[in-house]
Amino acid sequence: MLHARSGALEPGDPVPEPLVMTSAFALSEQPAPDRSYGRMATPTVSAVEARLALLEDAPCLLFPSGMGAYGALMMAALKTGDRVLLLSDGYYAARALTETVLAPFGITMQTCAAHDIATAPLDGIAMVIVETPSNPGLDVIDIAALAERCHAVGARLVVDNTVCTPLLQQPLDLGADAVIVSDTKAMGGHSDLLMGHVASRDAGLMERLHATRSLAGAIPGPFEAWLLLRGLETLDLRLARMCENARAALPILSASDKVSDVIYPAPHPQTSDQGFLVGATFADAPTADRFLEMAGFAPTTSFGGLHSSGDRRARWGDAVPAGFLRLSFGTEPTDRLMADLARALDRA
Ligand SMILES: *Cc1c(COP(=O)(O)O)cnc(C)c1O
């Protein structure tokens, strides 16, 4: 992926992917579809999609945010009368999008908790959208088993792979029909951009998705796509440190009398690592907030960035205790971070 620059590297060429800021192209008699007008494609966006396609082992389309990817995929794949199954403990905006934007088009929604999905009835469902591990509960869903059940009733399975990224989990290989990733999180990794993508080996679906993007107009600008590519080039290194830090913190959090419950995704053969997110329950909201401040964790609702951060999820209405924190471990040096964490636990 690192060496898959668009165009062969000739002597004198810059090594990084060039950033091409353009909306217009000099046209030939038969303009190439990716060199006609910026709303269809631009060289930098196409170059980032090509790198993502290597990570996903499938064609990819880029959107200006993770929700942009959700909206376009649902518009492209669903029709009036379709019913969608979403996780009740999944990303809130996915349910809100379905209920507020898609409902007037005759698309209905059903919800189910991640830990019940293995036995949820799927009759009459056109599309199932899940996250695994779920967020913030960190329940693991068996993708291959769910894909089989979906396909038996003619439903498409879409996996939101934001938490694992394609480096830790490959839902398409396990039978999912499409993958959505919010590249705003670990993929970009620097908390300085919004982006999202869809990957699928269903050529018809990708063609319709491209038409949806071109006509509805939600294509990212070249600069932010280029920033994402810059982040992707260190994804492997960042994830390794982030997961190492999360694992190092588990025994420290578990041993503390300030933390009543620690959650971390169960190991599963479908993921190569259990990730960088950890749930920790403190006595109450003020204790949790004090801990974040003393540990130097950024109090953000996003996750997956270089900087360790935490979010008190009850603030957003999640069904968790008031003192529950979703901690996202960053890339700080492990020894130093664990020392800060232990001191903050003592004093919080
Ligand atoms: C953040 C997030 C989204 C939405 O992505 P945006 O880039 O914020 O639009 C979707 N799913 C999950 C799991 C997320 O964490």
Side-chain angles (χ1 to χ4, degrees), residues 65-67 70 91 131 135 160 162 182 184-185 194-195 303:
S65 68
M67 287 318 299
Y70 264 91
Y91 196 68
E131 297 163 39
N135 185 358
D160 178 333
T162 300
S182 168
T184 308
K185 312 294 166 51
L194 288 154
M195 199 71 70
F303 61 84

Side-chain angles (χ1 to χ4, degrees), residues 288-303:
D289 288 343
R290 238 177 4 254
F291 163 75
L292 281 185
E293 194 186 333
M294 289 179 170
F297 277 44
T300 69
T301 189
S302 195
F303 61 84

Side-chain angles (χ1 to χ4, degrees), residues 1 128 167 257 313 317:
M1 194 276 281
V128 174
L167 285 194
D257 58 6
R313 292 301 306 176

